[in-house]
PDB file of all heavy atoms in Angstrom:
ATOM      1  N   GLY A  22      -7.557  91.041 -35.242  1.00  0.00           N
ATOM      2  CA  GLY A  22      -7.586  91.274 -36.690  1.00  0.00           C
ATOM      3  C   GLY A  22      -8.950  90.979 -37.294  1.00  0.00           C
ATOM      4  O   GLY A  22      -9.381  91.650 -38.237  1.00  0.00           O
ATOM      5  N   VAL A  48      -4.379  71.087 -45.387  1.00  0.00           N
ATOM      6  CA  VAL A  48      -3.226  70.433 -44.747  1.00  0.00           C
ATOM      7  C   VAL A  48      -3.785  69.288 -43.899  1.00  0.00           C
ATOM      8  O   VAL A  48      -4.951  69.331 -43.526  1.00  0.00           O
ATOM      9  CB  VAL A  48      -2.388  71.428 -43.892  1.00  0.00           C
ATOM     10  CG1 VAL A  48      -1.764  72.510 -44.754  1.00  0.00           C
ATOM     11  CG2 VAL A  48      -3.236  72.063 -42.804  1.00  0.00           C
ATOM     12  N   SER A 121      -0.530  69.984 -50.975  1.00  0.00           N
ATOM     13  CA  SER A 121      -1.703  69.477 -51.692  1.00  0.00           C
ATOM     14  C   SER A 121      -2.148  70.475 -52.765  1.00  0.00           C
ATOM     15  O   SER A 121      -1.874  71.676 -52.672  1.00  0.00           O
ATOM     16  CB  SER A 121      -2.850  69.229 -50.713  1.00  0.00           C
ATOM     17  OG  SER A 121      -3.390  70.450 -50.261  1.00  0.00           O
ATOM     18  N   GLN A 166     -17.531  87.874 -68.646  1.00  0.00           N
ATOM     19  CA  GLN A 166     -17.705  86.752 -69.584  1.00  0.00           C
ATOM     20  C   GLN A 166     -19.156  86.289 -69.691  1.00  0.00           C
ATOM     21  O   GLN A 166     -19.601  85.896 -70.754  1.00  0.00           O
ATOM     22  CB  GLN A 166     -16.841  85.564 -69.146  1.00  0.00           C
ATOM     23  CG  GLN A 166     -15.385  85.750 -69.520  1.00  0.00           C
ATOM     24  CD  GLN A 166     -14.541  84.506 -69.183  1.00  0.00           C
ATOM     25  OE1 GLN A 166     -15.051  83.436 -68.898  1.00  0.00           O
ATOM     26  NE2 GLN A 166     -13.246  84.666 -69.221  1.00  0.00           N
ATOM     27  N   GLY A 168     -22.030  87.906 -67.993  1.00  0.00           N
ATOM     28  CA  GLY A 168     -23.061  88.864 -67.583  1.00  0.00           C
ATOM     29  C   GLY A 168     -23.077  89.011 -66.073  1.00  0.00           C
ATOM     30  O   GLY A 168     -22.607  88.141 -65.346  1.00  0.00           O
ATOM     31  N   VAL A 172     -21.715  90.103 -56.923  1.00  0.00           N
ATOM     32  CA  VAL A 172     -21.373  91.378 -56.300  1.00  0.00           C
ATOM     33  C   VAL A 172     -19.853  91.385 -56.122  1.00  0.00           C
ATOM     34  O   VAL A 172     -19.269  90.374 -55.733  1.00  0.00           O
ATOM     35  CB  VAL A 172     -22.061  91.494 -54.911  1.00  0.00           C
ATOM     36  CG1 VAL A 172     -21.610  92.739 -54.168  1.00  0.00           C
ATOM     37  CG2 VAL A 172     -23.582  91.451 -55.060  1.00  0.00           C
ATOM     38  N   ASP A 189       7.576  86.067 -29.842  1.00  0.00           N
ATOM     39  CA  ASP A 189       8.958  85.583 -29.828  1.00  0.00           C
ATOM     40  C   ASP A 189       9.766  86.148 -30.985  1.00  0.00           C
ATOM     41  O   ASP A 189      10.982  86.240 -30.921  1.00  0.00           O
ATOM     42  CB  ASP A 189       8.977  84.044 -29.867  1.00  0.00           C
ATOM     43  CG  ASP A 189       8.203  83.484 -31.057  1.00  0.00           C
ATOM     44  OD1 ASP A 189       7.449  84.260 -31.705  1.00  0.00           O
ATOM     45  OD2 ASP A 189       8.333  82.279 -31.341  1.00  0.00           O
ATOM     46  N   GLN A 247      -3.061  99.009 -27.476  1.00  0.00           N
ATOM     47  CA  GLN A 247      -4.002  99.988 -28.035  1.00  0.00           C
ATOM     48  C   GLN A 247      -5.301  99.322 -28.482  1.00  0.00           C
ATOM     49  O   GLN A 247      -6.391  99.836 -28.246  1.00  0.00           O
ATOM     50  CB  GLN A 247      -3.340 100.705 -29.233  1.00  0.00           C
ATOM     51  CG  GLN A 247      -4.194 101.832 -29.767  1.00  0.00           C
ATOM     52  CD  GLN A 247      -3.547 102.555 -30.931  1.00  0.00           C
ATOM     53  OE1 GLN A 247      -2.646 102.016 -31.583  1.00  0.00           O
ATOM     54  NE2 GLN A 247      -4.020 103.759 -31.205  1.00  0.00           N
ATOM     55  N   TYR A 266      10.329  98.812 -19.903  1.00  0.00           N
ATOM     56  CA  TYR A 266       9.688  97.695 -20.614  1.00  0.00           C
ATOM     57  C   TYR A 266       8.991  96.729 -19.646  1.00  0.00           C
ATOM     58  O   TYR A 266       7.993  96.113 -19.979  1.00  0.00           O
ATOM     59  CB  TYR A 266      10.714  96.923 -21.446  1.00  0.00           C
ATOM     60  CG  TYR A 266      11.223  97.668 -22.670  1.00  0.00           C
ATOM     61  CD1 TYR A 266      12.348  97.220 -23.358  1.00  0.00           C
ATOM     62  CD2 TYR A 266      10.571  98.810 -23.136  1.00  0.00           C
ATOM     63  CE1 TYR A 266      12.836  97.883 -24.479  1.00  0.00           C
ATOM     64  CE2 TYR A 266      11.058  99.488 -24.242  1.00  0.00           C
ATOM     65  CZ  TYR A 266      12.179  99.013 -24.914  1.00  0.00           C
ATOM     66  OH  TYR A 266      12.654  99.673 -26.013  1.00  0.00           O
TER      67      TYR A 266
END
Side-chain angles (χ1 to χ4, degrees):
V48 296
S121 72
Q166 282 185 13
V172 174
D189 55 347
Q247 186 179 20
Y266 289 167

